[in-house]
Structure formats: C-alpha cells, structure tokens
Amino acid sequence: MRGHRAAASRPSRVRARSAAIAAFVVLAAMVPAVASAAGTQEVDAELPYVCTLPSGRQPAEVRVSAAFPDRVEAGEAISPTDVTTTVELPAEAVADLTALKAVTARSATRLTVGVAQNESAAEATWRGTPEPVALPGSGPLTLTATGDVPSVTGQSDGDLTFSAGNLAVDLALGTADGAATDPGSLTVDCSPAEDAPEKGLLATVQVGTETAEPSGSPSSSGSSPGTPDPSSGTPDAPDAPEDRQGDRAPKAAENPPGAAADRDAPPCLYDAEHPPTPASLNAYVTGYTDVKKLDAASLLPPSCMLIEQGNPVDGPPDPDHLVFDTVSYADFHYEGRKETPPFESTFLAFGFTPVKATMVLKQTGPVTIHSRITMRLSDFRTTTDTYVRAPLTLQVTDLEVNGTPLDVGAGCRTEKSLTSLEPDPANHPGDHLVLYGRGEQDLGMPATGYLLLSGGVLSGEATVPAFTGCGAGGENLDRLLTASVSGPGNQIKQVQGQTCSIANPVFGDEFNAPQCTSDLQPHVIPVPER
C-alpha cells in the first residue's frame, strides 16, 4: 500500500484487496511475530558448561532446543519458537542445596545469546521458567525451562548466527514444611566450557539472498558457520565509519511481555475508587490461547486481577473426606477499567507488508472462582478443584498497514463472549469462558498445581464467536474475520502468579518468600507457559 486510503469511489477490486489485507493483519496479530521463511531448521544442541556453586566450580550440561527459519529478508524479525533450555546440575549441586535443608526448588533461567552478522554483534536474553521440582535423593538435578524469547532482526544481507553464552539459574528453595531456606534464594552462574563445540553455536540463519563481497560478487563459502567473514556484507560495509557499526548490528528486541524483570507489568493496585476489604487479593495473570484455524497462538501479557476471596462453606457430605466450597469474585483492572492491557503485534503480512494491530479483552460481567477443597481423613491429603468462569469479548482497536492507519471503527469485537463447554450449565448459565485447575498437597509438603492463593496453571478450551462492527468507510470486515478465526477448539493455558493479601501482606523474610511489594502490588509476575 502507498499513501493514504482512497476515497469511497475507488475500484471495488482495490477495496476488496484492502479489506483482505486488513483482515489478515488483525488475525495474524493474534499470534507472536514470526519470520516468513522458506523453511524451518530444528536445533537441539548439547553443550558443556561450568557452574559456580557454594562448593566451587562444577561441570554441568546444558541442552538448548528451538526452531529457527532457514532464511529471512533483511529487516525481517526472527523469532525462535519452541524454545527449551534444559540444565543438568551435578550431584554436588544437590548436596549444596540439601545442606540448606531444601527439599524443593522453584527456578528461572536467563541464557545470554550472542547474535552476530558480518562484523557486527548484539546480545539477547532468553528467559525460561521450569516447573517446581523436588530435589532428588541422589544423582544430578535436571531443570527444564520454557518461555518466550525476544526477536532479532538482521539489518543487512549476510548469515546471522545465534550462539549460547553465559547462563544464570535463579533458585527459590523450600523446606519440608513449606518455609523458605536460609538463605531462601540462590543464583548459580554458569559459562560455556572451553571445549564447547563451535563456541556454543546454536543456529545460522541466512539473511537476504546471496552474501556479496565488496566487488558485488557472491562471497566464498570457505568460512565456517557462525564465523564472521570480513569479505561479506553489503558493498560499502568495509568503508563504513566506526560510528555506524551500531546501525548495522543485529537488533535484539526487548524481552517479551511476561519476562518477570524490573516490574515489566502494568500497575496492580487498589485505590480510592477500588478500596480493598479484609478479603482482598491481587495477582497477575498471563498465558497463551491457541488460534486453531491459524495453527498458532496468541499471547496475553501480564494483566492485573483484583480478587475478593470468599468464605468456605460446607460441601456435600462425604464419610471419608472433609469437603468445603468457596466462591470468590475477580475483575481485570487496567487504568480503572475491567479489561486487559492492549496487546500489540508487529510483523510482515504476505512477506512484504509491515503491519501492526492492537487488541483488548473486555469483561462483560464478574469473573467467578469456584473452589472445592477435599481433605482425605485417612492421611489428610488435600485436593482443590477450581473453576474460573469469565465473560470476555475480544475487541480490535487499532490497525496500521505499511505505516498507514486503517480505520476498523470503534466497535470491532466479537458479538458475544468467548465461550467454553460448561460442566454445570444449570447453575452457571450464559456465555463465558471456563478454565480449570487442580491443586494437591500432602501433609507437611508444599502444594503442587493450582491454588487461588499461590497461583499456578489453569487450562480450558474456547469457542470464538462471530465478529461484528469491524470496518469503517464502507469496508465491512465482519465476514472475513469470522471465517478466518471464529470457531471452537482453541486451547487456553493461563498462568496466575502468587497473590498478595492486602490485609496480611508478606514482604519476605528469612522464613517466607515475598508476596507483596512495599506498595501492596503482587510481587510475583508470572511467565507464560506453552
């Protein structure tokens, strides 16, 4: 597209093509930005590392798997997918942790990835969150972390390489009674061993068509993958002044939403218009929703929830168990409104047209949280089944195609709430999403799974209704959006962080991990999981 939108009298074929591009823009914005490559290369690299532990420097194994495109165009973002980092710490590490009386470990990983192209380089940080694990009685400790990673953009033609660098493993340790150890956290710093194959090379992505020498002829293929070739690059690269090196270096995007760094989340506070009560909690949620028709997934950034916890009442009688039911209520909270923050995607449509779209999930009624707590009398093992019911519509607010705004109107949204199969329709009528989570706890051991207070993973399946009100200036996008996106079978995986109790805040001490910041926001910002 060039220039501004034409008047209403333009040819119908041009208008139809514009509408089709607009529809594709909105739909593709529901998935993370991906490179439009000709093919995909699967990477599975096993690398030797050396980690610094309380007992000294110890060898470790790090395995990195991911999917990269084979080739992209210059200026096109590269977003590795299916990224998994597996760290195997030796038995000596387990001994160091058990010496602190730790029996469980909750961790996060930060892998520095070097990105190089021609004679320029940059760095990106790949963050991941493993599932909490129990420390083994003997042998090594294995932590498998997944998470989103920032995109990288090559600024010119020439092979772009990704290499694994330093790794930090942040450990939060718990004792048998669920308390924090002393100290309650430990960071294990690791670096690639000197004998790491190809200096930690993970992948090489071809940027552009053929790499050119200063004369303009194709470069020789004598240099090994991942080694910058001084003769490669654009014709004027060797003569570029030193202060232009930053312009030609690969560009690494900021860490994606949910990276849990430096309060990378909107404020989550009670205020005069939303005063807390003794039962008030707040927490962040984030996660992914599959878009089945596109065979892709949409990311919800960290979003604030204000929660009113219900009181337990007796559940149905059971001779072998104690049963209690609670009903709690929650609202999204963003700038005083019951909705998520806007989430935005920028990418290339049809492989050449840069587009940007912004969307919001809006609440149409209260979110209810039904929990049933069942304690077995024989051994006091407790299970908690939780159903979260949320009436939410999806609204598209802004579009840009090739830098030109495209008016979708003020009311582009699904015609009703996203819906799920309701397990108890007689007691819970109406259109709403249903998410389910189960928590389990043995006496004297930390809980696993989902609990309202400590958070965890909730899952479900959504049907996306038809769209309505989309388009302005004579262009109606409703049918295109409905045909491309609407329908059943869209899987949801949502992660809720630890709640902050406003009446009884926990700021963290030698016995307890922090749950609240000093201004009573949730301390934990969760990371989405696939």
Side-chain angles (χ1 to χ4, degrees):
M1 282 191 173
R2 298 180 179 177
H4 298 286
R5 295 174 61 240
S9 59
R10 63 185 172 175
S12 59
R13 184 172 63 179
V14 175
R15 290 178 55 195
R17 183 174 183 272
S18 175
I21 292 176
F24 185 85
V25 168
V26 177
L27 304 180
M30 299 179 71
V31 307
V34 295
S36 56
T40 300
Q41 51 178 313
E42 302 289 340
V43 172
D44 193 354
E46 294 186 9
L47 303 170
Y49 269 68
V50 178
C51 297
T52 302
L53 296 156
S55 59
R57 291 169 61 82
Q58 301 286 349
E61 293 293 329
V62 175
R63 181 174 178 175
V64 181
S65 61
F68 292 81
D70 289 324
R71 185 188 67 80
V72 297
E73 299 298 330
E76 183 175 359
I78 301 170
S79 295
T81 58
D82 299 328
V83 177
T84 301
T85 302
T86 302
V87 184
E88 185 178 288
L89 298 174
E92 289 81 359
V94 179
D96 287 341
L97 302 181
T98 54
L100 300 174
K101 299 182 179 180
V103 298
T104 62
R106 183 184 295 270
S107 57
T109 61
R110 291 173 283 133
L111 176 65
T112 300
V113 175
V115 186
Q117 185 184 41
N118 302 324
E119 297 179 341
S120 302
E123 286 187 346
T125 301
W126 289 10
R127 299 177 184 269
T129 304
E131 292 287 339
V133 297
L135 299 184
S138 62
L141 170 64
T142 301
L143 304 169
T144 301
T146 59
D148 282 318
V149 301
S151 62
V152 173
T153 303
Q155 302 299 297
S156 60
D157 289 355
D159 286 350
L160 192 150
T161 63
F162 293 77
S163 300
N166 293 335
L167 170 70
V169 182
D170 300 314
L171 297 171
L173 306 174
T175 62
D177 58 4
T181 60
D182 183 13
S185 61
L186 177 69
T187 296
V188 178
D189 292 314
C190 307
S191 57
E194 293 183 358
D195 59 346
E198 298 186 87
K199 296 183 178 181
L201 178 67
L202 298 177
T204 301
V205 178
Q206 182 184 357
V207 179
T209 52
E210 291 184 312
T211 308
E213 293 185 313
S215 64
S217 60
S219 66
S220 65
S221 58
S223 59
S224 62
T227 304
D229 185 347
S231 66
S232 64
T234 54
D236 64 346
D239 299 323
E242 186 174 345
D243 60 3
R244 289 185 58 200
Q245 291 296 315
D247 294 335
R248 296 189 292 111
K251 302 297 183 183
E254 296 296 325
N255 286 294
D262 300 325
R263 306 302 301 173
D264 187 15
C268 192
L269 285 161
Y270 286 87
D271 52 33
E273 295 184 4
H274 304 84
T277 72
S280 293
L281 312 169
N282 51 0
Y284 286 109
V285 297
T286 184
Y288 287 102
T289 300
D290 287 347
V291 184
K292 184 177 181 180
K293 286 186 175 180
L294 297 176
D295 192 24
S298 173
L299 171 67
L300 174 69
S303 303
C304 173
M305 295 291 289
L306 303 183
I307 305 166
E308 289 297 307
Q309 186 181 13
N311 293 319
V313 298
D314 290 339
D318 185 327
D320 300 319
H321 300 82
L322 291 177
V323 182
F324 302 96
D325 289 333
T326 64
V327 180
S328 304
Y329 296 89
D331 290 311
F332 280 110
H333 183 66
Y334 179 71
E335 295 184 349
R337 300 184 298 274
K338 296 179 182 181
E339 59 187 46
T340 68
F343 41 105
E344 181 182 282
S345 291
T346 301
F347 59 98
L348 295 178
F350 304 111
F352 65 89
T353 306
V355 296
K356 183 169 67 176
T358 306
M359 296 173 289
V360 174
L361 284 171
K362 293 193 171 186
Q363 230 177 286
T364 59
V367 176
T368 59
I369 305 168
H370 294 80
S371 298
R372 172 162 291 177
I373 305 167
T374 304
M375 178 184 290
R376 192 161 59 198
L377 296 176
S378 60
D379 57 4
F380 301 107
R381 176 179 174 81
T382 300
T383 60
T384 303
D385 295 289
T386 300
Y387 290 89
V388 178
R389 296 173 169 91
L392 300 169
T393 59
L394 175 66
Q395 180 170 356
V396 180
T397 59
D398 290 292
L399 281 178
E400 287 185 9
V401 178
N402 202 24
T404 301
L406 183 64
D407 189 1
V408 294
C412 181
R413 58 177 179 80
T414 53
E415 62 183 11
K416 61 180 182 178
S417 171
L418 282 67
T419 60
S420 302
L421 181 64
E422 170 56 61
D424 187 11
N427 291 312
H428 304 286
D431 296 321
H432 52 260
L433 285 176
V434 180
L435 302 177
Y436 170 75
R438 164 170 276 212
E440 299 179 338
Q441 185 171 21
D442 290 313
L443 186 63
M445 298 296 293
T448 60
Y450 175 83
L451 295 175
L452 175 61
L453 294 181
S454 58
V457 174
L458 293 157
S459 59
E461 185 176 299
T463 294
V464 179
F467 284 80
T468 185
C470 300
E475 292 183 339
N476 188 328
L477 305 178
D478 292 351
R479 291 185 178 180
L480 288 172
L481 294 176
T482 299
S484 302
V485 175
S486 300
N490 304 289
Q491 299 295 321
I492 301 173
K493 189 174 185 180
Q494 178 179 290
V495 182
Q496 178 202 307
Q498 166 74 52
T499 58
C500 168
S501 173
I502 305 304
N504 299 288
V506 175
F507 300 113
D509 54 31
E510 59 180 324
F511 302 108
N512 299 287
Q515 299 176 6
C516 306
T517 62
S518 58
D519 56 353
L520 299 182
Q521 296 191 69
H523 184 274
V524 176
I525 303 173
V527 176
E529 300 178 8
R530 291 190 180 278

